[in-house]
């Protein structure tokens, strides 16, 4: 907890002195160590609860009371307890709903309202998200900081996860191209993975280049085949937009967010809606296959092996947490048929990415390392999916600027 508080305070100070962030990330309400412990403990025990046969989803925001049309204010604040969190959690049907808490006059934490927000809303406050029983994600200033995974406390480091995916999404075949269009492709993958996780039915997404090499890895006939292009027309119809550097796009986001530019926000909402539709299609038994440009070829598809892997074959499993450099694991230990099939597809199609969301909410990415050909499996990818909408986009952009 001490280290966690130090990192959050350090991040606040960093944003305060960084001209790129100062105008976007207002100073959020400061949470002291004792309050932190209370919030995490209450959220942890609430995450274990089942109400009328349903797992409770809880999102907690630590911020001072504020007048707002999208917040239901309690006339009499409630004490922060796991019991009250469970009761209110049943009202949070949307992924964009939060329980608002703050410090009361006596210093004790209290629940003062329920908030609805837009995917485009900038969130900089301390944010606790319950991802599943015993699994809690801690976010601050638009960035995933730490998590509880069962009985293990970890700090988030998305570097290995982003690195494995970037080289596929941003590659033109030989070089990595850090431009605005490729960044949009990358971010939509994260949105779709979020949508896959949200429907809680499990699903598989196969993302491939524009050629037809993938066809030999799909069994025929495919019942739901055809084609539709979900790429955003307004963005791609402007040649100048695709040539923007990541820094140019960061400045564009900064300006549009500060001014709440309506047309810009509408484009983002349109993309978000399209990604939700794609994510819903993965709930159908089988895999959905699309290109990096979001052209959907089919869904409900069955994966077939080209160069069959054996259960005794090894893969490298990585988690987006600090100190995790990957461990060798047998293919047979990855999970059920869905995970093994995705691993087989990623192995046979080295330029592809396979994404699997389990019914329990865990998300895994499968791909092959370009340098070694090693099959990589990124588990617990839900910790790095950036649930915080536009502030997550801004954070991702800042990481890519460091690579330019």
């Amino acid at each position: 907890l001490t280290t966690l508080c130090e990192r959050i305070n350090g991040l606040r100070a960093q944003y305060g002195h960084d001209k790129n962030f100062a105008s976007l990330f207002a100073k959020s309400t400061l949470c002291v160590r004792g309050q932190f412990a209370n919030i995490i403990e209450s959220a942890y025990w609430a995450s274990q609860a089942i109400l009328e046969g349903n797992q409770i989803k809880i999102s907690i925001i630590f911020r001072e009371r504020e007048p707002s049309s999208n917040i239901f204010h309690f006339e009499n604040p409630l004490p922060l307890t796991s019991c009250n969190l469970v009761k209110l959690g049943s009202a949070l049907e949307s992924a964009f709903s939060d329980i608002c808490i703050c410090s009361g006059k006596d210093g004790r934490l209290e629940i003062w309202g329920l908030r609805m927000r837009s995917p485009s809303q900038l969130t900089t406050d301390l944010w606790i998200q319950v991802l599943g029983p015993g699994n809690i994600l801690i976010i601050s200033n638009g960035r995933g900081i730490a998590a509880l995974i069962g009985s293990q406390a970890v700090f988030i480091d998305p570097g290995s996860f982003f690195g494995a995916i970037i080289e596929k999404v941003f590659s033109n075949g030989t070089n990595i191209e850090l431009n605005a269009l490729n960044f949009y492709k990358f971010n939509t993958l994260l949105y779709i993975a979020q949508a896959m996780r949200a429907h809680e039915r499990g699903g598989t997404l196969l993302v491939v280049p524009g050629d037809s090499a993938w066809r030999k890895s799909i069994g025929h006939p495919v019942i739901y085949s055809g084609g539709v292009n979900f790429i955003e027309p307004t963005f791609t119809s402007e040649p100048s937009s695709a040539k923007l550097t990541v820094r140019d796009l960061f400045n564009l986001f900064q300006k549009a967010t500060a001014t709440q530019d309506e047309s810009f926000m509408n484009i983002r909402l349109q993309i978000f809606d399209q990604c939700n539709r794609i994510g819903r299609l993965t709930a159908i038994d089988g895999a959905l296959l699309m290109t990096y440009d979001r052209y959907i070829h089919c869904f409900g598809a069955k994966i077939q092996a080209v160069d069959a892997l054996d259960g005794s074959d090894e893969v490298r499993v990585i988690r987006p947490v600090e100190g995790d450099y990957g461990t060798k694991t047998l293919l047979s230990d990855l999970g059920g048929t869905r995970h093994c099939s995705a691993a087989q597809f990623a192995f046979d199609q080295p330029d592809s990415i396979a994404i699997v969301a389990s019914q329990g909410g865990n998300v895994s990415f499968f791909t092959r390392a370009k340098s070694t050909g090693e099959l990589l499996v990124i588990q617990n990818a839900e910790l790095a999916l950036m649930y915080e909408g536009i502030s997550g986009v801004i954070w991702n952009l800042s990481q890519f600027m460091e690579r330019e």
Side-chain angles (χ1 to χ4, degrees), residues 49-56 86 90:
I50 301 292
L51 187 63
E52 296 181 353
N54 297 315
Q55 186 70 46
I56 299 298
V86 171
S90 60

Side-chain angles (χ1 to χ4, degrees), residues 279-296:
R280 288 295 305 178
L281 288 176
T282 65
I284 296 174
D285 187 38
L288 184 148
L289 190 142
M290 73 174 194
T291 67
Y292 289 105
D293 289 325
R294 283 183 289 154
Y295 182 90
I296 295 180

Side-chain angles (χ1 to χ4, degrees), residues 364-377:
S364 300
F365 280 63
F366 301 79
T367 193
R368 285 181 71 174
K370 276 187 173 294
S371 58
T372 64
E374 186 179 30
L375 184 58
L376 304 177
V377 182

Side-chain angles (χ1 to χ4, degrees), residues 368-399:
R368 285 181 71 174
K370 276 187 173 294
S371 58
T372 64
E374 186 179 30
L375 184 58
L376 304 177
V377 182
I378 299 94
Q379 293 183 340
N380 293 123
E382 65 274 8
L383 300 179
L385 290 180
M386 309 306 291
Y387 294 83
E388 51 278 30
I390 194 167
S391 48
V393 174
I394 293 168
W395 175 258
N396 287 350
L397 280 168
S398 72
Q399 303 307 294

